[in-house]
Amino acid sequence: MTSIVRDETIRSGEPRVEGTRIAVRDIKRRVIDAEEDPHVVAGEYGISMADLFGALAHYYEHRDAFEDDEREAERMRRDGERRTRKLVDELRGENAGSTEDAA
């Protein structure tokens, strides 16, 4: 039987297939999101089909939590991009001013 475990010292506590570093999210992204063949994914990860489908079952049992995590990660990514864009714009403004001062 497939066991899905969490350990804060492995993969930052992501739910994963016991005895591996393969996270449930890794399997979900490949099989569900990318529509890859489950047999190929299991073979590449070196896990059984039972482990793969156990991970997918875990995903579906906790789908709301996974989706909340993905939304939060996307929000954080957008915020980081916005802050980076602002910083780059500020730096470009400073550089433009120093170029004008040099002339």
Side-chain angles (χ1 to χ4, degrees), residues 5-95:
V5 296
R6 295 181 98 141
D7 180 336
E8 292 302 317
T9 64
I10 301 172
R11 300 287 307 263
S12 300
E14 281 274 326
R16 62 184 174 78
V17 177
E18 187 174 27
T20 74
R21 296 181 55 80
I22 302 162
V24 169
R25 189 177 316 274
D26 298 333
I27 294 169
K28 178 259 187 193
R29 285 180 176 155
R30 291 189 63 186
V31 175
I32 296 171
D33 297 345
E35 299 180 355
E36 291 184 45
D37 183 307
H39 292 90
V40 171
V41 174
E44 288 179 2
Y45 283 145
I47 61 175
S48 69
M49 292 301 293
D51 287 341
L52 182 132
F53 285 116
L56 291 176
H58 181 85
Y59 166 75
Y60 282 114
E61 289 170 3
H62 301 91
R63 187 175 186 172
D64 290 341
F66 278 95
E67 289 176 353
D68 289 345
D69 289 348
E70 289 175 359
R71 277 191 293 275
E72 178 63 15
E74 178 62 19
R75 186 192 64 74
M76 290 174 56
R77 184 191 63 76
R78 282 192 315 270
D79 287 349
E81 287 176 353
R82 181 184 43 77
R83 286 191 308 273
T84 300
R85 201 173 314 113
K86 181 179 176 186
L87 179 60
V88 168
D89 289 346
E90 289 172 0
L91 291 172
R92 284 184 178 154
E94 289 176 15
N95 289 339

